[in-house]
């Protein structure tokens, strides 16, 4: 009988665990590098079991942009704040809302070179293919850069003919030619 | 009359210059960081006024891959070598062909963090959006990485409704979940 | 009816948000790098909805200098302290006033190379044009430096014929020739 | 009499020296970091005793841009190349012309942090006033950056009422707001 | 008599000490770099005198994987969490369980280059034999990498004929060839 | 007919290329970091189409050790030198033989952190699993290190049930306990 | 009338401010890098409006040495402690006294390269004139060093004929020749 | 009379100070880098006025080893713990004892390169004489290393004929030849 | 007799050696970091057995300034060039003269932190006493810096009462107060 | 018969190899970091099969000092030069002799942190035991440093009771107390 109870309890933990396991949360050890509203937003997101996809849909924005906002790397518009406050049931008294509309102090969410394997792979692509991208872009566009400011990005999932999933990241930035002066 | 000659000569230089100016070439100061065949390939490409698009078409590969090959960041297959030898009229006596099929010693074409503005913008995207990409990818795929090895990339040009060009870079890598052990 | 209330509440948040969104505030994650009066000053500025332009006018100083003072990078004169105390309604009991007149421990507000995109662009200008500035300045002035101590700076906005805004930063430093000894 | 000759010879050296001393030339120890045409351009400039002001006038460009071009940090247009070839009497057989129109591999003319005192002062301005610039620009323009690509710069000399010279550097970059996505 | 008591007390401390001394515990000075559940797990492990071998057996996983999980470098499955909760008698109310199933923010448990002598020896092997491994792997497998994601590892003890113990670490990763694109 | 000749020539290049492509060779850009005999050894190896497996068999040593010897990271015994001289038909007049028996100046074959993707993966394993290895080894062996000097290593290929190849690296080092003093 | 009061209050603040403004105090953001007695000493010094000159006179030591002692870079003798305790009215119960006599853990008061402009100038002197100092010292003294341990230093003010103040720093260290062994 | 009291009080402080001044204590600013028992041990040592020589005698170990143990760089045996607990009158309830027997996480007590002058001198010896030591050791012992694990060290004082004291540090490590494999 | 000759020859070498040993010369391994005229100047100085003191007297400048000029860290005036050309019997045809009057590219004569023990001691003084200098200078002069540009320096020898030599370096820089703007 | 010849030839190579294998020589890849006489000295030493012990005996100096001299880290006296010239049969015409008596530019023979395993172990001793050495030395000597300038060192071999060799390095430096000023 004790066994039954134990099995039941274990199943219940597994059940709870499974529900939570598809949600990105905030690693406690990087909180200090982020603006203080990051922790509040992630906590609410976790409590409400919302994915970035859910939140992006509610805000009419891209998932990448919304995740960047949670990490303090993008700015919320007043409308975003209003919707997030509603969706995440943030107390209007806290100054989370006001803070989210501050001008972000970008670029400090993680170390560079990245030590996180997923992020390192992106860095490695820049390291290995940087000059190749430059050469191809120069030939197609001339002398200039792809803006990282006037910029959109999205992440998609594709499944190939063998059933294997592929990650597809699109980086789209406005072309900025060097001024002649 | 001297004026006419001077003007004619200037026009001729301008003419030559214009022809060459859409071609990516190799900055002499980074030659030491690259395998020795890089200089040979770029020299032939410049001499024959070929773009990476031209060469990619001849090889049936992506422009990014071909440029990477020129920078010593990708390996040529025997078929690639045969076609490049023909296309660039490389002397078969040189060991450029053999070298191109060596196993590349990747990652040393430029400094990290990049100092070249175009390449820095890509690095900045990783710096600013790295954790956002991780969070979104984790929620869509689970615990793992996007491979930078089993990986394709391409660069495209889009023009928006105002006539402004945009650079679109697609990064496509196979999803690799962390093994359980 | 609930809808109406909800819409009203959202509008109210949007309204508050809009009011605040043009104010620079202090990112909570850099507070530790700054002198303790920085947080107090920014808090008061935010509470009173003052821009640096407002404060600069009250102090008879440049906006850049005032912002530098808030970040602990410049020293307040007794007169500045008196005016700031009044303007920001700082409690005279706190030692914010005394601290602002301490000798600043400059240079620690952010990492170098900067990771913040706006600040990085300034760094990149030094990286790319540093030797060009040196060569031009040497030819115009001789062997020496532009002082960064006996130095003024201002930020202005210009709008070009197409209606696009441009940022104009003026750096003005006294010429200091190397002494002959 | 020997004395007279010696004095004459010394005067002649002093004379030659004075003529040359207002010209920026290329330090031999940084040649390796620059594209190969840099040395050729500086050599011709020195031989012909031209200042960047002279060359800028001939090219209809800014002195800073011309110096940047000499350091391999800016690209020459075909028209620039034609004029430079004429002005500096470059042999059209050399491929200096072609190289100058290549896409520059920017950012490698000197180490960062700069060790050259003049350039270090500019770096120090970014280090000390970076966040102040950001705060003031954010309040004046919103969330974005000043472009370092769509960018002009000039160096001017001012003399104050006491007769002391001041260096005035103007940095003017297009305002680029962060895209909402 | 006092002597006897003292000796008894000392023996008792020695006894306690011996019991504990074969257990890896968490150095208090690295707690800040790890997710908050690390401290909770190590504390429970120490309190219950469990080795990683004990825990690995209970979870049906490798010791290395379990230790990695304790250091926040691997993710727990729901089943792992259920078993760990039981085994370590973690209070189900704490959110240790939920956190262990978060997506790990890997790579930050220690500095690189490592300063810990044991870990440095592994780093030194990569430093000294890195190119040798690459050359041998390239010849055996072609152009690609050994995955560190689709990866298993184990640690074994061997004793040679002289009775000396040897550490045997096996690194087993899937072969990933570079894609042709 | 010209077509036939061209096809024949291409086939011949492809043929040559295929023969060479399984051989690790020396990237020209790292020669400066290695002892001078490295280039000589690799050249002879390439000329004679020998794999490290071939050479290892002839020397009665492990492939990893032989590759390390080629990269200047291991010392050759007199017998190794005699056999290598024979096998690679090195001219006895050169001092390659003598140099190979010098005491290696280890650790400089590549940068750390590695930029080569294959070698980086090994580094990443140390970064991610370093503390896990330490904890497991400490529990199994006590307080000490695995020697990287009194050390063997080998690389093997395994194929799993789905036909996928796996790389298996074995690191075997003598256990060295910290001395008590 | 309110005006009068306001003016009076402002004058009073200006007055207080002026009194304090010639005193070096401790920037709150570097406290963590210093021994805990630093904060206590600076606090007492500020409260009592003492300059380092005042304190140096009381202790019979150099101002530089006293300031170094306050920053935890020099050791206090028992006599120094007794005098400081009296002068600064330190409570004898605190262990400030005992701590000041501990062996200092020098070198950690600020980052190197220094970011503080005043300290950077000293660093720049070493960077620019280091080899010149070495050459001149070698010629005057032989092969050895100027000790930084058996070392005195002082700061003086000179005013030149135009009335401009100059800072004069004297570094005086015992000559230590390299031993022959 | 007040004078007498003051003199008496000063003498008493000097007296206390002298007693304490020969004891190494823990700089408060490095506590965070050390395991938590370090502070406890140093506090007890200071309170009881024990030198490392006293403690080493009680433990039958070398002073260097005991100091390393206090800094968390060496492991205590159960017997060491028992004796330390007695000697330092540590409360057996605290887990200081247990922690001292944990496996140390070595190498993090100070920054490298060292900034502390005494420690820097040791580093400088490695920097200046490293290759000389290697060459001499290689000629005396062959190809291998001096172990830093199977290692003893001691510090002694010698006085030369002029009465000057010299520090003599002995580093004694087992010779480990590189394995042939 | 052979002995006599050998002794004679040895004495002659010792004699030559002694003559040269008080001259600073240029280490061949740093030539690449210096402008090309450095090697020429040092070579002439060595050939003519001139000390910096000799040269400084001839030029009417400080020894430190002259040594800095030889290391490419200071600029020669036309008069300096004329005198150096005479004194060192430089061929007027070489462009050493012209180069010496170029604008120096300062700061690259050696690595920072310095590895040369003599130069490191100066660096260590900045590291250890930097904040002490700042505090004392601030109290004596206000908020500003000691200029390293409008700057003189000299090296002197003092002998104390015990006959021991001391190095005295004087750093004298103009006081530059921060501008108020 | 051919077999016999081959065997004979192999034996001869083994024989030559064995003769040479106990001599430290100069790795070709570090020559650039050393003064030019280093290569000449090592070449002569190798040609004449001399160990550092042989040379040290001839010069009446320590082996460590002699090896340091060969690596450009110590200065030769005129007498040393005379003896080395004789012993190594250096041509008196070369300026090796003169160069050896130059003032060494120390500290650049290898990278720090060291990558060579033997040298790294010495560095690791400083890293792990640095604070322990400091604490013990402070307690034995007071506040000061062990000089690395007024310094001797030697390397000895000891064999323990089990026949295992141990390396014993003695570092002996004069005690320098911090001056009181």
């Amino acid at each position: 009988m004790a066994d039954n109870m134990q099995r039941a309890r274990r199943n219940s933990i597994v059940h709870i665990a499974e529900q939570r396991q598809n949600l990105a949360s905030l690693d406690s050890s990087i909180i200090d590098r982020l603006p203080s509203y990051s922790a509040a937003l992630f906590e609410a997101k976790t409590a409400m079991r919302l994915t970035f996809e859910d939140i992006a849909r509610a805000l009419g924005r891209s998932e990448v942009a919304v995740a960047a906002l949670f990490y303090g790397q993008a700015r919320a518009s007043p409308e975003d704040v209003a919707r997030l406050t509603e969706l995440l049931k943030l107390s209007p008294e806290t100054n989370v809302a006001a803070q989210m509309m501050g001008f972000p102090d970008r670029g400090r969410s993680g170390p560079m070179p990245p030590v996180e394997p997923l992020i390192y792979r992106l860095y490695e692509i820049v390291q290995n293919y940087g000059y190749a991208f430059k050469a191809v872009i120069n030939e197609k566009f001339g002398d200039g850069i792809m803006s990282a400011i006037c910029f959109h990005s999205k992440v998609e999932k594709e499944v190939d003919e063998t059933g294997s999933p592929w990650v597809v990241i699109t980086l789209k930035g406005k072309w900025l030619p060097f001024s002649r002066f």
Side-chain angles (χ1 to χ4, degrees), chain A:
Chain A
M1 227 164 84
D3 261 23
N4 278 3
M5 275 180 64
Q6 201 171 21
R7 198 172 324 115
R9 186 157 153 266
R10 183 190 292 178
N11 285 347
S12 135
I13 292 177
V14 171
H15 184 65
I16 291 170
E18 276 168 347
Q19 284 185 305
R20 295 216 178 175
Q21 80 173 317
N22 293 316
L23 293 176
S25 54
L26 192 59
D27 189 287
S28 57
S29 62
I30 69 163
I31 287 180
D32 285 353
R33 286 204 300 267
L34 305 181
S36 55
Y37 62 79
S38 287
L41 292 180
F42 270 103
E43 208 172 304
K45 171 181 179 300
T46 299
M48 305 186 65
R49 300 205 187 305
L50 293 167
T51 61
F52 281 119
E53 199 180 355
D54 300 332
I55 303 171
R57 204 178 304 116
L59 264 65
R61 297 191 68 172
S62 138
E63 281 168 285
V64 175
V66 171
L69 195 156
F70 271 59
Y71 278 104
Q73 305 296 312
R75 194 191 193 193
S77 70
E79 186 70 15
D80 292 338
V81 172
R83 289 190 179 162
L84 271 173
T85 304
E86 254 180 61
L87 182 67
L88 299 175
K89 302 196 192 313
L90 300 172
S91 154
E93 284 76 35
T94 68
N95 50 11
V96 170
Q99 287 175 354
M100 268 190 286
M101 280 179 303
F103 298 106
D105 186 20
R106 290 167 170 95
R108 297 188 297 112
S109 54
M112 292 295 275
V115 294
E116 223 294 322
L118 186 147
I119 302 174
Y120 183 82
R121 297 308 179 273
L122 302 175
Y123 172 91
E124 189 178 77
I125 290 167
V126 176
Q127 185 174 70
N128 290 3
Y129 295 100
Y131 272 94
F133 285 131
K134 174 172 158 56
V136 170
I137 291 173
N138 281 163
E139 292 199 344
K140 278 191 178 335
F141 292 83
D143 188 30
I145 61 151
M146 177 182 94
S147 180
I149 306 301
C150 189
F151 169 79
H152 299 186
S153 185
K154 65 182 171 190
V155 172
E156 288 162 311
K157 185 179 199 160
E158 286 190 13
V159 178
D160 66 18
E161 63 281 8
T162 72
S164 301
W166 291 68
V167 183
V168 183
I169 297 177
T170 306
L171 310 174
K172 179 174 175 180
K174 201 171 182 177
W175 172 248
L176 293 184
F178 276 95
S179 296
R180 179 177 166 84
F181 66 101

